[in-house]
Amino acid sequence: MAVSSGEDKVDRERRLASRQAGEQGLLFDNAVAMPNPNAGYRGPTACAAAGITYRQLDYWARTGLVEPSIRPAHGSGSQRLYGFRDILVLKVVKRLLDAGVSLQQIRTAVTHLRDRGVEHLATITLMSDGVSVYECTSADEVVDLLQGGQGVFGIALGRVWQEVEGSLANLPAENADPYLEPRTGRDELSARRRARKTG
């Protein structure tokens, strides 16, 4: 059975992410699977997977902390559609809040995470002393942080990735293909027509 080039790419990315995670040798060593790029998740599903309330989700979207990458809300009655990466970031924000990190520092961390591609997120470990958030990319950096005398905690995004993946496995998803096209001069009506044609 022949494997499509899309599947080849996903397999290569999965192997690369696993190898990088193994080379990092930090707080995790489990392999991660690439998420389905055609899956979109409504707000209640995103909340369930990230362990947050709908009120938090709505506030974070309205203030630009974590916005849905597949489909933002446009007016009354429209529903946001979140991607896997969005839910991963939502769960990280929740963990940082639970650890007492300020919202301002969390915004800085989220901006940093937005600059990363999905295949790189699983190889990042975030560290915090409750005031600042640090990215840890090698075992040496962990030692340097601890020598400062301040206690730190880590969030291994590979582990969070697996938790989100496990949660989403039992929750409903939608086909996100119609929403992933570039928004170059096309309006919402055109997108709906295309979605109806492709069914």
Side-chain angles (χ1 to χ4, degrees), residues 59-88:
Y59 177 73
W60 295 345
R62 285 187 292 111
T63 60
L65 179 60
V66 183
E67 297 175 293
S69 62
I70 295 178
R71 181 178 63 201
H74 291 293
S76 178
S78 66
Q79 292 196 8
R80 298 178 184 106
L81 202 57
Y82 290 84
F84 180 90
R85 182 172 179 252
D86 303 326
I87 297 171
L88 183 69

Side-chain angles (χ1 to χ4, degrees), residues 136-193:
C136 193
T137 57
S138 74
D140 294 335
E141 285 184 287
V142 174
V143 172
D144 290 341
L145 290 174
L146 295 176
Q147 284 179 351
Q150 184 72 33
V152 296
F153 75 93
I155 298 175
L157 295 192
R159 176 81 56 214
V160 178
W161 180 294
Q162 291 170 341
E163 290 174 14
V164 170
E165 188 175 54
S167 297
L168 290 176
N170 300 319
L171 296 168
E174 293 185 28
N175 185 355
D177 280 339
Y179 306 104
L180 295 176
E181 293 183 21
R183 301 172 193 221
T184 54
R186 295 189 175 160
D187 61 5
E188 187 176 337
L189 182 58
S190 298
R192 282 193 219 155
R193 286 181 184 145

